Amino acid sequence: MNLGLIKLHKLMGLFRGCIVLCIFFNGILYSIKAQDSNRDTLINEIEQIKLSANFNSKDTVYINSLLELANRYRFHYLDSLKILSEKSLELSKNASYINGEINSYHALGGFYSDKGRIDQAIEYFSKAYKLADKYDDHLLKAGILNDLAKEYGYKGEYSKALKWYLATIEIAEKYDYKNIISIVNDNIAHLYLEQKDYEQAMVFLQKSKSIHEEIGNPIFLAETLSNIASTYADMNELDYAMYNINISIATFEKEKILEWLAYCYEIKGKIYLKKNKNTWALYWYKQSELLHEEIEDDRAKIDLLNGMTEAYLNLEKDSIAEIHALNAFNLSKKIGLRLGIKNSAQKLSKIFKNKKDFEKSLWYHEIYQATYESLSAISNEKALSMLKTRVAYDQQKKQLILDNEKALAKQKIYIYVFIVILFIFAIITFLIHRNEQAQKKLNQQLRHKKTALEEKQAYLNELNQTKNKLFSIIGHDLRGPIGAFQGLLKLFKEGEMTKEEFLNFVPKLKVDIDTISFTLNNLLSWGQTQMNGSITKHSVTNLDSIVEENIALLSEIAESKSISLVNRIEPNCQIWSDPNQIDIIIRNLLSNALKFTPNNGQIVIGAIQKIKTCEIYVKDNGMGMSEDIISKLFEKDSNHTTYGTNNEKGTGLGLSLCKEMVEKNNGKIWVHSAIGKGSSFYFTIPRIQKQYKESA
């Protein structure tokens, strides 16, 4: 390649990159505009309420609109969230509107949480909870308790966090608040993730996923799937992580939820970082960074900055890594996140060591060491506290069960009396309806016998049809070639045909005998499936070896028509199937392709390995088929047969047999074809997959 072509290739690459970035920026701008539009609409509604003739600041509709607007500013304009929440709190107190007070305290707790002022967040969440508890608003209580527990988790007091999470679940289960149960399961999973107990975390995440799938809310499901993806990444199950994060990204891009989309892009960057694909990791980290310019979520931004630092370090770009590590360190100090301080200090120590600035390297290492020891000690206490809390909670439940049993014991006398009355009533009822029940039993027996006779008749009819089809094929497709062969032998034996003339017929005789053999094999296999005599025995099957054997078997036919057989099956392609049945399927599909492909044609057989299945295809550039023929190909009772390009003939059994055997191996078969353009047959078979032990 000359220098001009190289430059042109690079320019084209840059052009494509610019197009991709333009598309992404347009998507982000559209999303931001959509959210701004929603807020503007709500602001206009509030202004309309204020301008109405009978406006009163104590109007609950007005207060609720202020609260809704305040919550929409979260993750975008935190100061506006605080101002509007304080205003709604003041108005709610003046109007004695309890719901408004509770939601205002709750919103202010969210503001202080996002600012990293945990104690103030706990104070406001506690005020909201006390009011909700006083007025017995169970839904608000559950939501507030969840946020309160989360704050104790940020603070490192896992015992209190788990206590409030369990209390939340108790309320949610009692009143069937499924969304809240799933959210709490996600949050409890995060407690275990902090201790690197990934298996236990995954148990709670899978519970949450099951609930969301039952409810059918795609946004909540995507939130849980993104947490599952992050956990799989920490477990180095990177294929599963990528699968789950791509589903989440698609949902959040569609719904334009920026804060969750930023988190998902950061997780995707982490997955590529785990794969040692640092350039791709940085690409997704930067997409997340762009979104963080529009939202306020410092906790998530710290993980993003640390991830970018690690990627730049791997690419040996220490100066850029240093900028991101310092930003992460300062932001962690600002909101008091010790885990962020530890991670960023460790990276800064390494960066300054590389720069030969050993004084700063030692200083950051000492910060890292002190934070690490603090977290380690706290982690041990956390683990013990969590265990004690769970045990105490279980004991409380057992005590409640015992109390209930005592209360039930007092009612047993009444229950026994009631049972005696019911027993007497049952005897009377039995005597009255005895004759009627006997009659019903007789009628039921007659119906069963009638059903059994009808089933036997259907089975005999099916056997009769199978017999008729076998005799039809034997009489029509086997008797002809065999009769021709006998006639030639008779002519040769009686001297009416010379040896040279007989030898001229040998190639045709061989084709006829091969056709008879192939037809007999198909008949035997089909007959066994129809007579319930064919048993599918699954085992680990090497697909490539089966394909190679069939290509060798059919190579002579292919050579006679100058058709090239191309095998694109990978040598390590293994499937879970009955090897004998797969052999019959491959042979029939290749034989059909050879039959309908003209001289000098090409047949390709290959496989696409997916997560759970292997999709196998046989493609030819032959005659092709009309839609009418395709619709009848796989019918069980179809006798349809077509002559090949060299007048080859079949029984019409091959594709029906293929369909039955593919389905016995838990797969599906289909075809794409057009007249004059060839045909492509596809079928799927389960793959061999790594088994994962699920945590209790």
Side-chain angles (χ1 to χ4, degrees):
M1 184 181 290
N2 61 39
L3 290 173
L5 287 175
I6 292 171
K7 289 178 180 178
L8 180 60
H9 180 70
K10 288 182 177 178
L11 285 170
M12 290 298 291
L14 287 170
F15 180 69
R16 284 194 297 268
C18 289
I19 290 173
V20 171
L21 286 173
C22 287
I23 292 170
F24 175 78
F25 287 132
N26 286 337
I28 295 300
L29 288 172
Y30 177 78
S31 175
I32 293 165
K33 287 177 181 177
Q35 294 193 28
D36 288 342
S37 176
N38 289 335
R39 283 194 292 269
D40 290 344
T41 301
L42 192 54
I43 290 169
N44 289 333
E45 289 175 3
I46 292 171
E47 289 300 321
Q48 290 298 320
I49 294 172
K50 290 173 70 176
L51 292 172
S52 63
N54 56 348
F55 169 70
N56 186 341
S57 61
K58 294 181 180 181
D59 184 357
T60 58
V61 175
Y62 174 64
I63 295 171
N64 288 336
S65 298
L66 287 177
L67 281 167
E68 186 180 349
L69 181 61
N71 287 318
R72 289 194 184 181
Y73 277 120
R74 191 174 184 185
F75 300 115
H76 299 281
Y77 307 103
L78 282 176
D79 290 339
S80 297
L81 166 63
K82 181 174 183 288
I83 292 167
L84 289 168
S85 300
E86 288 176 340
K87 180 66 176 176
S88 63
L89 178 61
E90 179 189 347
L91 295 174
S92 297
K93 286 181 176 179
N94 291 337
S96 300
Y97 178 38
I98 302 302
N99 249 27
E101 285 188 57
I102 295 169
N103 286 313
S104 299
Y105 282 131
H106 197 179
L108 284 166
F111 165 78
Y112 286 111
S113 175
D114 292 345
K115 283 290 187 180
R117 292 155 69 175
I118 297 172
D119 288 334
Q120 285 177 281
I122 290 173
E123 178 187 344
Y124 279 98
F125 284 142
S126 297
K127 287 180 179 179
Y129 174 71
K130 285 177 183 176
L131 270 178
D133 187 40
K134 180 179 178 181
Y135 290 94
D136 216 22
D137 192 323
H138 304 295
L139 183 59
L140 283 176
K141 276 171 62 179
I144 296 163
L145 277 179
N146 174 65
D147 286 337
L148 189 59
K150 202 187 302 182
E151 293 307 309
Y152 280 114
Y154 294 146
K155 197 173 182 181
E157 297 182 15
Y158 278 39
S159 175
K160 288 184 179 179
L162 189 58
K163 173 186 173 183
W164 291 120
Y165 280 139
L166 293 173
T168 306
I169 287 178
E170 192 170 340
I171 295 171
E173 286 180 344
K174 183 176 180 181
Y175 297 98
D176 199 28
Y177 300 146
K178 290 183 179 178
N179 274 338
I180 292 178
I181 295 171
S182 63
I183 291 168
V184 175
N185 276 313
D186 270 17
N187 292 336
I188 292 176
H190 280 292
L191 298 185
Y192 286 101
L193 288 173
E194 286 288 328
Q195 299 177 85
K196 302 189 183 303
D197 189 348
Y198 302 123
E199 289 187 2
Q200 191 64 26
M202 192 60 78
V203 170
F204 286 97
L205 289 171
Q206 291 294 349
K207 286 181 182 177
S208 179
K209 178 186 173 185
S210 297
I211 294 169
H212 288 317
E213 287 175 340
E214 180 185 344
I215 295 170
N217 187 313
I219 295 173
F220 290 157
L221 178 60
E223 291 174 2
T224 296
L225 289 179
S226 63
N227 289 327
I228 288 174
S230 179
T231 307
Y232 272 132
D234 291 330
M235 297 168 73
N236 283 317
E237 298 286 355
L238 302 181
D239 289 340
Y240 288 104
M242 188 65 77
Y243 174 76
N244 283 281
I245 203 63
N246 284 337
I247 294 174
S248 300
I249 287 173
T251 301
F252 293 132
E253 285 180 343
K254 179 182 176 183
E255 301 295 336
K256 303 176 181 63
I257 303 174
L258 296 188
E259 57 272 17
W260 276 98
L261 192 55
Y263 172 68
C264 288
Y265 287 161
E266 186 260 318
I267 297 303
K268 192 159 185 176
K270 180 167 79 170
I271 295 167
Y272 277 113
L273 193 64
K274 292 271 186 177
K275 289 185 173 184
N276 291 321
K277 295 183 179 180
N278 298 290
T279 304
W280 274 107
L282 282 172
Y283 171 82
W284 288 105
Y285 282 144
K286 286 177 181 177
Q287 310 316 311
S288 179
E289 188 178 36
L290 285 171
L291 292 182
H292 273 286
E293 292 176 4
E294 302 299 329
I295 60 178
E296 294 185 51
D297 190 356
D298 289 343
R299 289 191 185 91
K301 195 171 182 180
I302 290 167
D303 290 335
L304 171 63
L305 290 169
N306 278 322
M308 295 179 78
T309 300
E310 190 171 345
Y312 280 119
L313 279 173
N314 292 341
L315 293 170
E316 298 183 354
K317 296 183 179 180
D318 289 17
S319 58
I320 305 176
E322 180 183 342
I323 294 169
H324 289 86
L326 283 170
N327 286 338
F329 182 78
N330 292 330
L331 195 55
S332 299
K333 285 179 66 179
K334 175 185 171 184
I335 66 172
L337 190 66
R338 282 182 294 177
L339 186 62
I341 293 171
K342 176 182 79 74
N343 292 335
S344 54
Q346 183 186 28
K347 290 174 175 60
L348 285 166
S349 176
K350 182 179 179 180
I351 291 167
F352 284 111
K353 184 179 179 182
N354 293 342
K355 292 174 67 175
K356 309 296 184 184
D357 190 342
F358 297 112
E359 185 178 348
K360 283 188 177 180
S361 176
L362 179 61
W363 188 71
Y364 280 112
H365 179 74
E366 287 173 350
I367 293 173
Y368 161 74
Q369 194 65 36
T371 313
Y372 172 79
E373 290 172 0
S374 171
L375 285 171
S376 297
I378 290 171
S379 294
N380 291 331
E381 292 174 10
K382 287 174 184 175
L384 291 171
S385 296
M386 288 178 72
L387 182 60
K388 288 177 183 176
T389 304
R390 289 178 68 183
V391 170
Y393 183 76
D394 289 341
Q395 287 176 344
Q396 288 176 4
K397 288 187 75 175
K398 287 179 181 178
Q399 186 60 46
L400 285 171
I401 291 168
L402 288 173
D403 292 341
N404 287 334
E405 287 176 352
K406 289 178 181 178
L408 288 171
K410 295 178 181 179
Q411 300 174 14
K412 280 185 178 180
I413 296 173
Y414 302 105
I415 293 170
Y416 289 146
V417 172
F418 183 71
I419 289 172
V420 170
I421 294 170
L422 280 178
F423 180 73
I424 295 169
F425 180 78
I427 292 173
I428 296 169
T429 304
F430 172 76
L431 293 172
I432 293 171
H433 296 286
R434 184 175 182 180
N435 292 332
E436 183 181 351
Q437 289 173 345
Q439 187 64 41
K440 285 181 180 179
K441 188 175 181 181
L442 287 172
N443 291 337
Q444 189 176 18
Q445 288 174 350
L446 287 171
R447 282 195 297 270
H448 286 320
K449 288 179 180 179
K450 181 184 176 185
T451 303
L453 286 171
E454 288 173 349
E455 288 174 353
K456 286 180 180 179
Q457 184 179 359
Y459 176 71
L460 290 172
N461 288 338
E462 189 174 351
L463 287 179
N464 194 45
Q465 289 174 4
T466 301
K467 177 204 70 177
N468 290 340
K469 187 165 184 176
L470 282 169
F471 285 154
S472 172
I473 292 167
I474 291 168
H476 185 265
D477 296 288
L478 295 182
R479 187 168 62 183
I482 291 171
F485 185 53
Q486 285 176 331
L488 284 171
L489 288 175
K490 183 178 179 182
L491 289 172
F492 180 74
K493 183 178 179 182
E494 293 176 357
E496 294 182 20
M497 179 183 289
T498 65
K499 182 179 179 181
E500 288 75 18
E501 290 174 335
F502 180 81
L503 290 174
N504 288 334
F505 281 97
V506 167
K508 183 180 184 307
L509 290 174
K510 184 179 183 306
V511 172
D512 286 344
I513 289 170
D514 288 342
T515 302
I516 291 167
S517 175
F518 186 78
T519 302
L520 280 173
N521 284 334
N522 271 357
L523 280 172
L524 288 171
S525 299
W526 180 78
Q528 282 185 324
T529 62
Q530 299 304 305
M531 301 292 186
N532 297 321
S534 177
I535 299 172
T536 301
K537 297 180 180 178
H538 292 91
S539 64
V540 177
T541 303
N542 193 319
L543 182 61
D544 180 59
S545 62
I546 291 176
V547 171
E548 284 295 337
E549 288 172 8
N550 278 284
I551 287 175
L553 182 66
L554 299 169
S555 60
E556 189 171 342
I557 299 173
E559 288 172 4
S560 70
K561 297 179 75 174
S562 299
I563 295 172
S564 63
L565 293 172
V566 180
N567 180 9
R568 291 182 180 167
I569 306 289
E570 295 178 1
N572 63 344
C573 184
Q574 292 186 329
I575 54 177
W576 183 249
S577 65
D578 185 320
N580 293 326
Q581 293 179 353
I582 297 300
D583 184 57
I584 291 169
I585 296 165
I586 296 294
R587 192 178 313 145
N588 271 282
L589 292 179
L590 284 175
S591 178
N592 270 359
L594 285 167
K595 176 180 171 183
F596 296 106
T597 301
N599 293 349
N600 301 311
Q602 185 185 61
I603 298 169
V604 179
I605 181 167
I608 302 169
Q609 299 190 55
K610 299 185 178 180
I611 293 176
K612 293 185 179 180
T613 61
C614 185
E615 183 178 293
I616 303 157
Y617 59 85
V618 177
K619 299 181 179 180
D620 64 64
N621 57 356
M623 298 164 56
M625 295 175 285
S626 66
E627 289 295 327
D628 184 54
I629 292 174
I630 291 172
S631 66
K632 298 175 182 177
L633 278 181
F634 299 107
E635 290 179 3
K636 184 176 180 182
D637 298 321
S638 173
N639 285 319
H640 178 80
T641 182
T642 306
Y643 287 90
T645 56
N646 287 353
N647 291 322
E648 303 98 320
K649 191 176 185 303
T651 64
L653 270 181
L655 291 176
S656 175
L657 181 62
C658 286
K659 183 176 185 294
E660 289 181 22
M661 290 191 171
V662 166
E663 290 174 350
K664 281 177 177 287
N665 285 274
N666 302 314
K668 295 179 181 178
I669 186 167
W670 67 97
V671 62
H672 294 155
S673 182
I675 293 176
K677 294 184 179 180
S679 302
S680 298
F681 284 84
Y682 300 84
F683 67 95
T684 59
I685 296 294
R687 280 186 63 194
I688 299 300
Q689 297 182 51
K690 182 178 178 182
Q691 300 297 315
Y692 293 93
K693 183 179 179 182
E694 186 174 343
S695 176

